[in-house]
PDB file of all heavy atoms in Angstrom:
ATOM      1  N   THR A   9       0.852  -1.192   0.005  1.00 79.00           N
ATOM      2  CA  THR A   9       0.006   0.029   0.004  1.00 79.00           C
ATOM      3  C   THR A   9       0.868   1.229   0.013  1.00 79.00           C
ATOM      4  O   THR A   9       0.575   2.260  -0.678  1.00 79.00           O
ATOM      5  CB  THR A   9      -0.935  -0.001   1.233  1.00 79.00           C
ATOM      6  OG1 THR A   9      -1.731  -1.171   1.188  1.00 79.00           O
ATOM      7  CG2 THR A   9      -1.822   1.218   1.226  1.00 79.00           C
ATOM      8  N   LYS A  10       1.978   1.266   0.745  1.00 80.00           N
ATOM      9  CA  LYS A  10       2.838   2.436   0.836  1.00 80.00           C
ATOM     10  C   LYS A  10       3.456   2.733  -0.536  1.00 80.00           C
ATOM     11  O   LYS A  10       3.758   3.910  -0.857  1.00 80.00           O
ATOM     12  CB  LYS A  10       3.978   2.139   1.848  1.00 80.00           C
ATOM     13  CG  LYS A  10       3.486   2.233   3.279  1.00 80.00           C
ATOM     14  CD  LYS A  10       4.577   1.892   4.249  1.00 80.00           C
ATOM     15  CE  LYS A  10       4.097   1.870   5.695  1.00 80.00           C
ATOM     16  NZ  LYS A  10       5.143   1.452   6.632  1.00 80.00           N
ATOM     17  N   LEU A  11       3.663   1.734  -1.346  1.00 75.00           N
ATOM     18  CA  LEU A  11       4.169   1.964  -2.715  1.00 75.00           C
ATOM     19  C   LEU A  11       3.077   2.147  -3.754  1.00 75.00           C
ATOM     20  O   LEU A  11       3.309   2.137  -4.935  1.00 75.00           O
ATOM     21  CB  LEU A  11       5.104   0.781  -3.128  1.00 75.00           C
ATOM     22  CG  LEU A  11       6.457   0.752  -2.494  1.00 75.00           C
ATOM     23  CD1 LEU A  11       7.315  -0.429  -3.055  1.00 75.00           C
ATOM     24  CD2 LEU A  11       7.231   2.051  -2.779  1.00 75.00           C
ATOM     25  N   ARG A  12       1.831   2.257  -3.248  1.00 73.00           N
ATOM     26  CA  ARG A  12       0.676   2.429  -4.142  1.00 73.00           C
ATOM     27  C   ARG A  12       0.518   1.290  -5.135  1.00 73.00           C
ATOM     28  O   ARG A  12       0.222   1.498  -6.306  1.00 73.00           O
ATOM     29  CB  ARG A  12       0.741   3.781  -4.850  1.00 73.00           C
ATOM     30  CG  ARG A  12       0.844   4.994  -3.891  1.00 73.00           C
ATOM     31  CD  ARG A  12       0.857   6.313  -4.608  1.00 73.00           C
ATOM     32  NE  ARG A  12      -0.368   6.536  -5.355  1.00 73.00           N
ATOM     33  CZ  ARG A  12      -1.497   6.990  -4.826  1.00 73.00           C
ATOM     34  NH1 ARG A  12      -1.532   7.237  -3.507  1.00 73.00           N
ATOM     35  NH2 ARG A  12      -2.592   7.183  -5.528  1.00 73.00           N
ATOM     36  N   LEU A  13       0.790   0.090  -4.603  1.00 78.00           N
ATOM     37  CA  LEU A  13       0.582  -1.120  -5.384  1.00 78.00           C
ATOM     38  C   LEU A  13      -0.595  -1.884  -4.773  1.00 78.00           C
ATOM     39  O   LEU A  13      -0.912  -1.730  -3.626  1.00 78.00           O
ATOM     40  CB  LEU A  13       1.847  -2.001  -5.359  1.00 78.00           C
ATOM     41  CG  LEU A  13       3.110  -1.386  -5.949  1.00 78.00           C
ATOM     42  CD1 LEU A  13       4.306  -2.302  -5.670  1.00 78.00           C
ATOM     43  CD2 LEU A  13       2.945  -1.183  -7.458  1.00 78.00           C
ATOM     44  N   LYS A  14      -1.169  -2.728  -5.584  1.00 81.00           N
ATOM     45  CA  LYS A  14      -2.298  -3.497  -5.138  1.00 81.00           C
ATOM     46  C   LYS A  14      -1.822  -4.504  -4.074  1.00 81.00           C
ATOM     47  O   LYS A  14      -0.717  -5.058  -4.178  1.00 81.00           O
ATOM     48  CB  LYS A  14      -2.940  -4.310  -6.273  1.00 81.00           C
ATOM     49  CG  LYS A  14      -3.717  -3.413  -7.263  1.00 81.00           C
ATOM     50  CD  LYS A  14      -4.393  -4.277  -8.309  1.00 81.00           C
ATOM     51  CE  LYS A  14      -5.212  -3.413  -9.228  1.00 81.00           C
ATOM     52  NZ  LYS A  14      -5.877  -4.203 -10.321  1.00 81.00           N
ATOM     53  N   VAL A  15      -2.661  -4.748  -3.052  1.00 84.00           N
ATOM     54  CA  VAL A  15      -2.301  -5.679  -2.001  1.00 84.00           C
ATOM     55  C   VAL A  15      -2.311  -7.095  -2.598  1.00 84.00           C
ATOM     56  O   VAL A  15      -3.019  -7.352  -3.606  1.00 84.00           O
ATOM     57  CB  VAL A  15      -3.212  -5.620  -0.799  1.00 84.00           C
ATOM     58  CG1 VAL A  15      -3.129  -4.256  -0.142  1.00 84.00           C
ATOM     59  CG2 VAL A  15      -4.690  -5.946  -1.186  1.00 84.00           C
ATOM     60  N   PRO A  16      -1.544  -8.032  -2.015  1.00 89.00           N
ATOM     61  CA  PRO A  16      -1.537  -9.399  -2.546  1.00 89.00           C
ATOM     62  C   PRO A  16      -2.926 -10.067  -2.529  1.00 89.00           C
ATOM     63  O   PRO A  16      -3.783  -9.732  -1.700  1.00 89.00           O
ATOM     64  CB  PRO A  16      -0.601 -10.119  -1.578  1.00 89.00           C
ATOM     65  CG  PRO A  16       0.271  -9.030  -1.006  1.00 89.00           C
ATOM     66  CD  PRO A  16      -0.602  -7.837  -0.908  1.00 89.00           C
ATOM     67  N   GLU A  17      -3.086 -10.977  -3.444  1.00 92.00           N
ATOM     68  CA  GLU A  17      -4.330 -11.786  -3.501  1.00 92.00           C
ATOM     69  C   GLU A  17      -4.029 -13.169  -2.968  1.00 92.00           C
ATOM     70  O   GLU A  17      -2.943 -13.709  -3.227  1.00 92.00           O
ATOM     71  CB  GLU A  17      -4.857 -11.854  -4.957  1.00 92.00           C
ATOM     72  CG  GLU A  17      -5.265 -10.534  -5.539  1.00 92.00           C
ATOM     73  CD  GLU A  17      -5.689 -10.679  -6.976  1.00 92.00           C
ATOM     74  OE1 GLU A  17      -5.720 -11.830  -7.479  1.00 92.00           O
ATOM     75  OE2 GLU A  17      -5.946  -9.638  -7.644  1.00 92.00           O
ATOM     76  N   ILE A  18      -5.003 -13.765  -2.232  1.00 93.00           N
ATOM     77  CA  ILE A  18      -4.795 -15.070  -1.654  1.00 93.00           C
ATOM     78  C   ILE A  18      -5.856 -16.009  -2.215  1.00 93.00           C
ATOM     79  O   ILE A  18      -7.045 -15.683  -2.167  1.00 93.00           O
ATOM     80  CB  ILE A  18      -4.883 -15.023  -0.103  1.00 93.00           C
ATOM     81  CG1 ILE A  18      -3.746 -14.119   0.426  1.00 93.00           C
ATOM     82  CG2 ILE A  18      -4.754 -16.414   0.482  1.00 93.00           C
ATOM     83  CD1 ILE A  18      -3.800 -13.844   1.896  1.00 93.00           C
ATOM     84  N   GLU A  19      -5.442 -17.119  -2.722  1.00 93.00           N
ATOM     85  CA  GLU A  19      -6.346 -18.161  -3.225  1.00 93.00           C
ATOM     86  C   GLU A  19      -6.043 -19.466  -2.509  1.00 93.00           C
ATOM     87  O   GLU A  19      -4.882 -19.848  -2.324  1.00 93.00           O
ATOM     88  CB  GLU A  19      -6.133 -18.361  -4.713  1.00 93.00           C
ATOM     89  CG  GLU A  19      -6.482 -17.201  -5.618  1.00 93.00           C
ATOM     90  CD  GLU A  19      -6.270 -17.450  -7.078  1.00 93.00           C
ATOM     91  OE1 GLU A  19      -6.032 -18.623  -7.430  1.00 93.00           O
ATOM     92  OE2 GLU A  19      -6.366 -16.500  -7.890  1.00 93.00           O
ATOM     93  N   GLU A  20      -7.113 -20.146  -2.090  1.00 91.00           N
ATOM     94  CA  GLU A  20      -6.979 -21.457  -1.493  1.00 91.00           C
ATOM     95  C   GLU A  20      -7.370 -22.486  -2.532  1.00 91.00           C
ATOM     96  O   GLU A  20      -8.483 -22.546  -3.021  1.00 91.00           O
ATOM     97  CB  GLU A  20      -7.816 -21.597  -0.230  1.00 91.00           C
ATOM     98  CG  GLU A  20      -7.559 -22.887   0.533  1.00 91.00           C
ATOM     99  CD  GLU A  20      -8.264 -22.929   1.851  1.00 91.00           C
ATOM    100  OE1 GLU A  20      -9.283 -22.231   2.033  1.00 91.00           O
ATOM    101  OE2 GLU A  20      -7.768 -23.673   2.737  1.00 91.00           O
ATOM    102  N   LYS A  21      -6.407 -23.347  -2.911  1.00 90.00           N
ATOM    103  CA  LYS A  21      -6.648 -24.386  -3.903  1.00 90.00           C
ATOM    104  C   LYS A  21      -6.905 -25.704  -3.173  1.00 90.00           C
ATOM    105  O   LYS A  21      -6.984 -25.738  -1.954  1.00 90.00           O
ATOM    106  CB  LYS A  21      -5.445 -24.478  -4.806  1.00 90.00           C
ATOM    107  CG  LYS A  21      -5.149 -23.119  -5.497  1.00 90.00           C
ATOM    108  CD  LYS A  21      -3.878 -23.158  -6.288  1.00 90.00           C
ATOM    109  CE  LYS A  21      -4.080 -23.739  -7.658  1.00 90.00           C
ATOM    110  NZ  LYS A  21      -2.865 -23.572  -8.523  1.00 90.00           N
ATOM    111  N   ASP A  22      -7.024 -26.821  -3.899  1.00 86.00           N
ATOM    112  CA  ASP A  22      -7.341 -28.087  -3.266  1.00 86.00           C
ATOM    113  C   ASP A  22      -6.340 -28.517  -2.214  1.00 86.00           C
ATOM    114  O   ASP A  22      -6.692 -29.015  -1.170  1.00 86.00           O
ATOM    115  CB  ASP A  22      -7.474 -29.197  -4.367  1.00 86.00           C
ATOM    116  CG  ASP A  22      -8.744 -29.038  -5.179  1.00 86.00           C
ATOM    117  OD1 ASP A  22      -9.643 -28.284  -4.751  1.00 86.00           O
ATOM    118  OD2 ASP A  22      -8.798 -29.637  -6.235  1.00 86.00           O
ATOM    119  N   ASN A  23      -5.046 -28.329  -2.513  1.00 91.00           N
ATOM    120  CA  ASN A  23      -4.000 -28.796  -1.625  1.00 91.00           C
ATOM    121  C   ASN A  23      -2.905 -27.750  -1.392  1.00 91.00           C
ATOM    122  O   ASN A  23      -1.793 -28.095  -1.058  1.00 91.00           O
ATOM    123  CB  ASN A  23      -3.395 -30.082  -2.109  1.00 91.00           C
ATOM    124  CG  ASN A  23      -4.336 -31.273  -1.991  1.00 91.00           C
ATOM    125  OD1 ASN A  23      -4.763 -31.610  -0.867  1.00 91.00           O
ATOM    126  ND2 ASN A  23      -4.677 -31.850  -3.112  1.00 91.00           N
ATOM    127  N   SER A  24      -3.206 -26.497  -1.631  1.00 95.00           N
ATOM    128  CA  SER A  24      -2.172 -25.467  -1.456  1.00 95.00           C
ATOM    129  C   SER A  24      -2.795 -24.137  -1.265  1.00 95.00           C
ATOM    130  O   SER A  24      -3.995 -23.928  -1.505  1.00 95.00           O
ATOM    131  CB  SER A  24      -1.254 -25.455  -2.686  1.00 95.00           C
ATOM    132  OG  SER A  24      -1.970 -25.086  -3.844  1.00 95.00           O
ATOM    133  N   VAL A  25      -1.944 -23.172  -0.841  1.00 95.00           N
ATOM    134  CA  VAL A  25      -2.379 -21.747  -0.759  1.00 95.00           C
ATOM    135  C   VAL A  25      -1.504 -20.955  -1.725  1.00 95.00           C
ATOM    136  O   VAL A  25      -0.262 -21.088  -1.681  1.00 95.00           O
ATOM    137  CB  VAL A  25      -2.224 -21.211   0.702  1.00 95.00           C
ATOM    138  CG1 VAL A  25      -2.517 -19.724   0.728  1.00 95.00           C
ATOM    139  CG2 VAL A  25      -3.162 -21.975   1.642  1.00 95.00           C
ATOM    140  N   LEU A  26      -2.133 -20.140  -2.536  1.00 96.00           N
ATOM    141  CA  LEU A  26      -1.427 -19.375  -3.504  1.00 96.00           C
ATOM    142  C   LEU A  26      -1.530 -17.888  -3.196  1.00 96.00           C
ATOM    143  O   LEU A  26      -2.635 -17.387  -3.028  1.00 96.00           O
ATOM    144  CB  LEU A  26      -1.982 -19.634  -4.940  1.00 96.00           C
ATOM    145  CG  LEU A  26      -1.407 -18.807  -6.082  1.00 96.00           C
ATOM    146  CD1 LEU A  26       0.048 -19.142  -6.303  1.00 96.00           C
ATOM    147  CD2 LEU A  26      -2.243 -19.029  -7.335  1.00 96.00           C
ATOM    148  N   VAL A  27      -0.408 -17.222  -3.054  1.00 95.00           N
ATOM    149  CA  VAL A  27      -0.398 -15.752  -2.855  1.00 95.00           C
ATOM    150  C   VAL A  27       0.108 -15.100  -4.114  1.00 95.00           C
ATOM    151  O   VAL A  27       1.206 -15.435  -4.589  1.00 95.00           O
ATOM    152  CB  VAL A  27       0.481 -15.394  -1.625  1.00 95.00           C
ATOM    153  CG1 VAL A  27       0.434 -13.866  -1.436  1.00 95.00           C
ATOM    154  CG2 VAL A  27       0.052 -16.075  -0.393  1.00 95.00           C
ATOM    155  N   ILE A  28      -0.676 -14.197  -4.677  1.00 94.00           N
ATOM    156  CA  ILE A  28      -0.266 -13.511  -5.898  1.00 94.00           C
ATOM    157  C   ILE A  28       0.020 -12.050  -5.587  1.00 94.00           C
ATOM    158  O   ILE A  28      -0.776 -11.303  -5.056  1.00 94.00           O
ATOM    159  CB  ILE A  28      -1.432 -13.545  -6.919  1.00 94.00           C
ATOM    160  CG1 ILE A  28      -1.872 -15.020  -7.208  1.00 94.00           C
ATOM    161  CG2 ILE A  28      -1.029 -12.878  -8.229  1.00 94.00           C
ATOM    162  CD1 ILE A  28      -3.113 -15.166  -8.031  1.00 94.00           C
ATOM    163  N   ILE A  29       1.278 -11.668  -5.838  1.00 91.00           N
ATOM    164  CA  ILE A  29       1.781 -10.342  -5.566  1.00 91.00           C
ATOM    165  C   ILE A  29       1.862  -9.584  -6.876  1.00 91.00           C
ATOM    166  O   ILE A  29       2.791  -9.802  -7.671  1.00 91.00           O
ATOM    167  CB  ILE A  29       3.108 -10.344  -4.869  1.00 91.00           C
ATOM    168  CG1 ILE A  29       3.157 -11.341  -3.740  1.00 91.00           C
ATOM    169  CG2 ILE A  29       3.483  -8.974  -4.326  1.00 91.00           C
ATOM    170  CD1 ILE A  29       4.539 -11.743  -3.308  1.00 91.00           C
ATOM    171  N   LYS A  30       0.905  -8.738  -7.176  1.00 85.00           N
ATOM    172  CA  LYS A  30       0.862  -8.022  -8.454  1.00 85.00           C
ATOM    173  C   LYS A  30       1.670  -6.714  -8.307  1.00 85.00           C
ATOM    174  O   LYS A  30       1.738  -6.112  -7.249  1.00 85.00           O
ATOM    175  CB  LYS A  30      -0.538  -7.742  -8.872  1.00 85.00           C
ATOM    176  CG  LYS A  30      -1.336  -8.997  -9.208  1.00 85.00           C
ATOM    177  CD  LYS A  30      -2.707  -8.637  -9.720  1.00 85.00           C
ATOM    178  CE  LYS A  30      -3.487  -9.919 -10.128  1.00 85.00           C
ATOM    179  NZ  LYS A  30      -4.847  -9.623 -10.622  1.00 85.00           N
ATOM    180  N   HIS A  31       2.266  -6.325  -9.440  1.00 69.00           N
ATOM    181  CA  HIS A  31       3.047  -5.069  -9.429  1.00 69.00           C
ATOM    182  C   HIS A  31       2.969  -4.450 -10.847  1.00 69.00           C
ATOM    183  O   HIS A  31       2.325  -5.026 -11.719  1.00 69.00           O
ATOM    184  CB  HIS A  31       4.492  -5.260  -9.026  1.00 69.00           C
ATOM    185  CG  HIS A  31       5.100  -6.530  -9.645  1.00 69.00           C
ATOM    186  ND1 HIS A  31       5.405  -6.629 -10.970  1.00 69.00           N
ATOM    187  CD2 HIS A  31       5.462  -7.702  -9.068  1.00 69.00           C
ATOM    188  CE1 HIS A  31       5.910  -7.817 -11.206  1.00 69.00           C
ATOM    189  NE2 HIS A  31       5.971  -8.502 -10.056  1.00 69.00           N
ATOM    190  N   GLU A  32       3.570  -3.323 -11.026  1.00 52.00           N
ATOM    191  CA  GLU A  32       3.587  -2.709 -12.345  1.00 52.00           C
ATOM    192  C   GLU A  32       4.184  -3.734 -13.352  1.00 52.00           C
ATOM    193  O   GLU A  32       5.109  -4.441 -12.985  1.00 52.00           O
ATOM    194  CB  GLU A  32       4.384  -1.404 -12.340  1.00 52.00           C
ATOM    195  CG  GLU A  32       3.735  -0.319 -11.561  1.00 52.00           C
ATOM    196  CD  GLU A  32       4.528   0.982 -11.585  1.00 52.00           C
ATOM    197  OE1 GLU A  32       5.526   1.000 -12.341  1.00 52.00           O
ATOM    198  OE2 GLU A  32       4.132   1.930 -10.885  1.00 52.00           O
ATOM    199  N   LYS A  33       3.684  -3.683 -14.503  1.00 44.00           N
ATOM    200  CA  LYS A  33       4.064  -4.686 -15.502  1.00 44.00           C
ATOM    201  C   LYS A  33       5.606  -4.681 -15.729  1.00 44.00           C
ATOM    202  O   LYS A  33       6.187  -3.683 -16.076  1.00 44.00           O
ATOM    203  CB  LYS A  33       3.369  -4.386 -16.797  1.00 44.00           C
ATOM    204  CG  LYS A  33       3.676  -5.386 -17.944  1.00 44.00           C
ATOM    205  CD  LYS A  33       2.905  -5.008 -19.160  1.00 44.00           C
ATOM    206  CE  LYS A  33       3.286  -5.857 -20.334  1.00 44.00           C
ATOM    207  NZ  LYS A  33       2.929  -7.234 -20.226  1.00 44.00           N
ATOM    208  N   LEU A  34       6.181  -5.834 -15.469  1.00 41.00           N
ATOM    209  CA  LEU A  34       7.660  -5.993 -15.699  1.00 41.00           C
ATOM    210  C   LEU A  34       7.848  -6.501 -17.113  1.00 41.00           C
ATOM    211  O   LEU A  34       8.414  -7.537 -17.347  1.00 41.00           O
ATOM    212  CB  LEU A  34       8.240  -6.946 -14.712  1.00 41.00           C
ATOM    213  CG  LEU A  34       8.034  -6.678 -13.218  1.00 41.00           C
ATOM    214  CD1 LEU A  34       8.700  -7.706 -12.346  1.00 41.00           C
ATOM    215  CD2 LEU A  34       8.596  -5.337 -12.911  1.00 41.00           C
ATOM    216  N   ALA A  35       7.414  -5.680 -18.083  1.00 45.00           N
ATOM    217  CA  ALA A  35       7.431  -6.116 -19.453  1.00 45.00           C
ATOM    218  C   ALA A  35       8.821  -5.932 -20.055  1.00 45.00           C
ATOM    219  O   ALA A  35       9.468  -4.915 -19.892  1.00 45.00           O
ATOM    220  CB  ALA A  35       6.436  -5.331 -20.284  1.00 45.00           C
ATOM    221  N   SER A  36       9.235  -6.895 -20.810  1.00 57.00           N
ATOM    222  CA  SER A  36      10.512  -6.759 -21.560  1.00 57.00           C
ATOM    223  C   SER A  36      10.243  -5.907 -22.762  1.00 57.00           C
ATOM    224  O   SER A  36       9.166  -5.933 -23.347  1.00 57.00           O
ATOM    225  CB  SER A  36      11.009  -8.171 -22.031  1.00 57.00           C
ATOM    226  OG  SER A  36      10.080  -8.774 -22.876  1.00 57.00           O
ATOM    227  N   PRO A  37      11.187  -5.060 -23.174  1.00 66.00           N
ATOM    228  CA  PRO A  37      10.970  -4.206 -24.373  1.00 66.00           C
ATOM    229  C   PRO A  37      10.607  -5.026 -25.596  1.00 66.00           C
ATOM    230  O   PRO A  37       9.766  -4.628 -26.379  1.00 66.00           O
ATOM    231  CB  PRO A  37      12.355  -3.509 -24.535  1.00 66.00           C
ATOM    232  CG  PRO A  37      12.953  -3.535 -23.192  1.00 66.00           C
ATOM    233  CD  PRO A  37      12.489  -4.796 -22.537  1.00 66.00           C
ATOM    234  N   GLU A  38      11.253  -6.180 -25.742  1.00 67.00           N
ATOM    235  CA  GLU A  38      10.988  -7.004 -26.920  1.00 67.00           C
ATOM    236  C   GLU A  38       9.504  -7.393 -26.980  1.00 67.00           C
ATOM    237  O   GLU A  38       8.898  -7.405 -28.069  1.00 67.00           O
ATOM    238  CB  GLU A  38      11.879  -8.272 -26.868  1.00 67.00           C
ATOM    239  CG  GLU A  38      13.349  -8.006 -26.974  1.00 67.00           C
ATOM    240  CD  GLU A  38      14.010  -7.808 -25.646  1.00 67.00           C
ATOM    241  OE1 GLU A  38      13.276  -7.533 -24.678  1.00 67.00           O
ATOM    242  OE2 GLU A  38      15.253  -7.870 -25.564  1.00 67.00           O
ATOM    243  N   GLU A  39       8.938  -7.768 -25.841  1.00 64.00           N
ATOM    244  CA  GLU A  39       7.553  -8.256 -25.814  1.00 64.00           C
ATOM    245  C   GLU A  39       6.608  -7.154 -26.239  1.00 64.00           C
ATOM    246  O   GLU A  39       5.672  -7.411 -27.042  1.00 64.00           O
ATOM    247  CB  GLU A  39       7.201  -8.718 -24.398  1.00 64.00           C
ATOM    248  CG  GLU A  39       5.813  -9.375 -24.352  1.00 64.00           C
ATOM    249  CD  GLU A  39       5.476  -9.911 -22.969  1.00 64.00           C
ATOM    250  OE1 GLU A  39       6.234  -9.599 -22.026  1.00 64.00           O
ATOM    251  OE2 GLU A  39       4.465 -10.573 -22.827  1.00 64.00           O
TER     252      GLU A  39
END
């Protein structure tokens, strides 16, 4: 939040917990 980025998302799957940390697009120039 201090860096004005979205807070992490948490998903509970069948046998695991997934934390997704989104940030500004780390796009390669080529892409």
Side-chain angles (χ1 to χ4, degrees):
T9 302
K10 287 176 183 176
L11 283 183
R12 302 182 63 82
L13 297 172
K14 290 184 178 179
V15 297
E17 297 176 3
I18 298 173
E19 296 180 8
E20 188 172 24
K21 305 172 83 172
D22 287 344
N23 289 299
S24 65
V25 175
L26 175 66
V27 181
I28 304 171
I29 313 164
K30 294 184 177 179
H31 43 69
E32 292 182 5
K33 182 179 173 67
L34 304 180
S36 63
E38 295 90 343
E39 185 178 10

